[in-house]
Amino acid sequence: MDRKFYVLDPAGPRRGPFTVEELKAEVEAGQAKEDDRVEDADDGLQMDLRDAIGPYAFQAAAKPAAKPASQSVALVAVVGGVVVVATVLLGAVLFPVFAAARIAAAQTQELTELFQLERGLSVYVADFDDRYPPRMESVSATFPYVKSYVQGMKEPPKTKNPDGGDILGNPELDSLAIAQISAPQLTMKFYDSMPWPNKLRCVTLADGSVRKVADTAVKGALSKKSRMFAPGDLPAPGEPATSD
């Protein structure tokens, strides 16, 4: 037989009797508290309600209410928004860096191919009385004359400029003897027809060197029949070029 208890109320009549399970329900409903006094319906023994039913009811009563689903959804949305904003900001910072690195790598590749062409061209010149081929207006026009002198290259170098264009040349050098060039270290031989996004162009000079040169300097050289740079327009060998 289940024990029963009365809940004692100092300000009014006692309530009950209640079984232990019913007392637990009273606690969960907020109708009774752990320090309320109760009386055993059989022997009249009085005790705290906690002693009558144990700690279960109070643990259940103290259990925090679960967060509404709407609050959880809102929290997820806020966190997701923060992640998206952080990703956008990080991309805005890193994208120009990666883009500049890709352009620099492509320019280096083009200069490497042009240098390989220059080595073959120098051998050709030595074999033909120190004169350039009869067509120097572009890499494509010159390549058939020097193809057999360029190791590992079956086609003429092409610009790697993402904006397109071609690699043009200096027609003033057609069949010209190298002894007739007064300043080979300043005389442009081949060049990108269009500036790269970083405002530089890949250029080869009559002395056989290859450089990255500011677009404004290339335009200045192209304005002259000799295709010569001013002494201050070219970076020193090994120094990085800067756009104006």
Side-chain angles (χ1 to χ4, degrees):
M1 182 176 178
D2 292 340
R3 296 176 63 188
K4 293 187 177 183
F5 299 88
Y6 290 101
V7 177
L8 303 180
D9 186 352
R14 63 184 184 178
R15 296 185 294 112
F18 300 100
T19 65
V20 171
E21 293 300 322
E22 289 172 337
L23 283 177
K24 292 178 180 179
E26 288 286 301
V27 171
E28 292 177 354
Q31 300 298 319
K33 298 181 293 182
E34 60 180 301
D35 55 353
D36 285 348
R37 298 291 289 176
V38 297
E39 180 182 293
D40 193 310
D42 294 330
D43 56 18
L45 181 64
Q46 294 186 3
M47 65 193 76
D48 286 341
L49 190 149
R50 71 168 74 241
D51 297 325
I53 64 174
Y56 166 78
F58 305 105
Q59 292 175 1
K63 186 176 181 181
K67 290 184 178 180
S70 59
Q71 292 184 10
S72 299
V73 173
L75 180 60
V76 170
V78 170
V79 172
V82 171
V83 171
V84 170
V85 171
T87 302
V88 171
L89 292 177
L90 186 61
V93 172
L94 295 181
F95 180 78
V97 176
F98 292 146
R102 286 196 298 270
I103 289 173
Q107 287 175 329
T108 298
Q109 182 182 357
E110 181 174 325
L111 288 175
T112 299
E113 293 180 3
L114 287 174
F115 181 72
Q116 190 175 355
L117 176 70
E118 285 291 339
R119 293 179 63 181
L121 181 57
S122 66
V123 178
Y124 171 93
V125 169
D127 281 352
F128 285 85
D129 299 325
D130 290 339
R131 290 183 177 275
Y132 285 112
R135 295 190 61 187
M136 292 289 292
E137 71 267 22
S138 70
V139 164
S140 297
T142 303
F143 189 74
Y145 296 94
V146 301
K147 181 178 180 180
S148 60
Y149 296 91
V150 182
Q151 296 182 356
M153 186 177 290
K154 297 181 180 180
E155 296 181 353
K158 294 180 174 59
T159 182
K160 306 299 186 294
N161 188 343
D163 291 338
D166 199 357
I167 303 178
L168 302 181
N170 183 354
E172 296 298 315
L173 299 179
D174 290 355
S175 300
L176 188 70
I178 59 175
Q180 295 179 261
I181 303 174
S182 60
Q185 76 280 9
L186 297 176
T187 302
M188 187 161 57
K189 189 185 298 181
F190 298 114
Y191 60 94
D192 282 319
S193 63
M194 293 179 60
W196 288 61
N198 59 0
K199 305 303 181 184
L200 300 176
R201 300 200 204 191
C202 296
V203 168
T204 73
L205 301 175
D207 65 356
S209 63
V210 295
R211 309 278 184 89
K212 286 187 286 187
V213 181
D215 175 50
T216 52
V218 173
K219 289 178 178 178
L222 290 174
S223 67
K224 307 169 187 175
K225 184 178 180 181
S226 63
R227 301 289 198 270
M228 288 182 62
F229 290 101
D233 286 345
L234 296 176
E239 290 186 358
T242 56
S243 57
D244 294 338

